[in-house]
Amino acid sequence: MSDIKILVGRILKRILNFVLVIWGVVTLSFCLQLFTGTDPAEMIVRKNNLFATEEQIQAVRVELGLDAPFGERYFEYIKGVLSGDLGTAITNRKPVIQNIMDALPVTCMMIIMAMAWIIILTILIAAISVIRKNGVFDNVARILCIVGICVPSFWLALVLLSVFAVKIPIFNVIADGSLKSLILPSVSMAVPIVCIATRVLRASILNELKSDYVLYAKARGFSNTQIIFGEVLRNALPAAITLFAQYCAALFGTSSLVESVFSIDGLGSYLMKSCEGMDIYGISGAILVCAVLFAFFNTVADILSSIICPAYRRNWI
């Protein structure tokens, strides 16, 4: 019963921290719009008329409420974010939230596939490497992980595209949004993270193998495979789960290079286009979404670690 109370208390504390982080992120997003030195009204007016007068620009400022005091603008921004209004994009004059929602599904699908590769390959490679410690598989995996960590995902994307879409035409050069067309992008995003996560999980498993309960299990006649997959892996997961969550959220913001290689109109591509067009509302909206996702996945990771790993819960006491 006490464990349940501790667990519930931890979850409530993490949710409160999540709310505070989101408030901070929204505030920083508002400051990004305010202190970038770019006048949205001037950008909007000069997009249609290079020789616009100051009176025309001022009229747009009044229309957008840019002439209001700081406190009033901050309150209106908070109210807009809570209602899903992130402003109107300068580039295409559509609501920013609509642009993000149009771009988000394909990015979500690509990242879900990438995370599936990451979770499956990381757990299998790390577990087998520990079971075959200092063997051929472990040494080869160690070398490949070191090489894979150094490989940029966009370069790997170009290699995979040239090999499996040009020389060996298994996949299309331009992604059409189908699951098959997202295999190469997801693999190119997953490989560097698999290499990092494998090293972290392997080290965590080896450290966990020094615990007293492992010696007790060996004394009872359990094999290394039974011990690792039965208890050790579960207790070693918190570090890997936190890493998975951080990279899952980070992929939303860093997917732009891979999306540009495969001509995918996702969230990363939208952020890049907003930067190229100096669309301050699009930039702040996309960054806000990425930051919220980052905080959300970290919170979920901590809660999952609390539920899955008993040793992780003991650290709270």
Side-chain angles (χ1 to χ4, degrees), residues 163-200:
V163 173
F164 294 104
V166 178
K167 294 183 179 180
I168 307 174
I170 300 176
F171 301 95
N172 296 328
V173 175
I174 299 177
D176 56 7
S178 63
L179 289 178
K180 180 181 177 181
S181 67
L182 296 179
I183 292 177
L184 291 183
S186 63
V187 169
S188 61
M189 294 171 70
V191 167
I193 301 175
V194 167
C195 296
I196 297 172
T198 298
R199 300 297 298 165
V200 171

Side-chain angles (χ1 to χ4, degrees), residues 226-257:
Q226 290 174 316
I227 294 171
I228 289 172
F229 283 101
E231 286 293 334
V232 171
L233 186 59
R234 186 175 65 171
N235 290 329
L237 276 179
I241 289 175
T242 301
L243 195 66
F244 291 154
Q246 290 177 349
Y247 277 110
C248 181
L251 285 175
F252 281 93
T254 60
S255 62
S256 55
L257 295 175

Side-chain angles (χ1 to χ4, degrees), residues 31-92:
C31 293
L32 174 65
Q33 293 186 8
L34 204 62
F35 302 118
T36 53
T38 301
D39 186 355
E42 185 175 356
M43 293 290 298
I44 293 171
V45 174
R46 296 200 185 281
K47 191 175 186 303
N48 299 318
N49 182 10
L50 290 175
F51 305 101
T53 63
E54 184 61 31
E55 289 76 14
Q56 292 174 314
I57 296 174
Q58 182 60 31
V60 175
R61 286 198 191 102
V62 174
E63 180 184 348
L64 296 176
L66 300 178
D67 61 335
F70 177 87
E72 183 179 338
R73 289 182 60 182
Y74 181 66
F75 176 76
E76 289 296 326
Y77 183 76
I78 293 289
K79 189 168 69 172
V81 169
L82 292 176
S83 62
D85 182 11
L86 300 179
T88 302
I90 296 174
T91 52
N92 58 8

Side-chain angles (χ1 to χ4, degrees), residues 27-156:
T27 301
L28 289 175
S29 177
F30 171 74
C31 293
L32 174 65
Q33 293 186 8
L34 204 62
F35 302 118
T36 53
T38 301
D39 186 355
E42 185 175 356
M43 293 290 298
I44 293 171
V45 174
R46 296 200 185 281
K47 191 175 186 303
N48 299 318
N49 182 10
L50 290 175
F51 305 101
T53 63
E54 184 61 31
E55 289 76 14
Q56 292 174 314
I57 296 174
Q58 182 60 31
V60 175
R61 286 198 191 102
V62 174
E63 180 184 348
L64 296 176
L66 300 178
D67 61 335
F70 177 87
E72 183 179 338
R73 289 182 60 182
Y74 181 66
F75 176 76
E76 289 296 326
Y77 183 76
I78 293 289
K79 189 168 69 172
V81 169
L82 292 176
S83 62
D85 182 11
L86 300 179
T88 302
I90 296 174
T91 52
N92 58 8
R93 304 306 298 153
K94 290 182 180 179
V96 171
I97 191 65
Q98 180 182 333
N99 291 332
I100 292 175
M101 294 306 295
D102 290 340
L104 201 55
V106 64
T107 299
C108 286
M109 184 57 64
M110 184 171 62
I111 290 176
I112 288 172
M113 292 180 66
M115 291 308 299
W117 294 118
I118 291 168
I119 292 171
I120 294 171
L121 293 177
T122 296
I123 292 176
L124 287 178
I125 295 173
I128 296 173
S129 293
V130 172
I131 293 171
R132 308 294 184 187
K133 183 182 177 183
N134 296 326
V136 175
F137 182 89
D138 185 30
N139 291 326
V140 171
R142 194 180 307 172
I143 294 172
L144 291 178
C145 285
I146 294 173
V147 173
I149 291 171
C150 303
V151 174
S153 57
F154 68 88
W155 180 84
L156 182 60

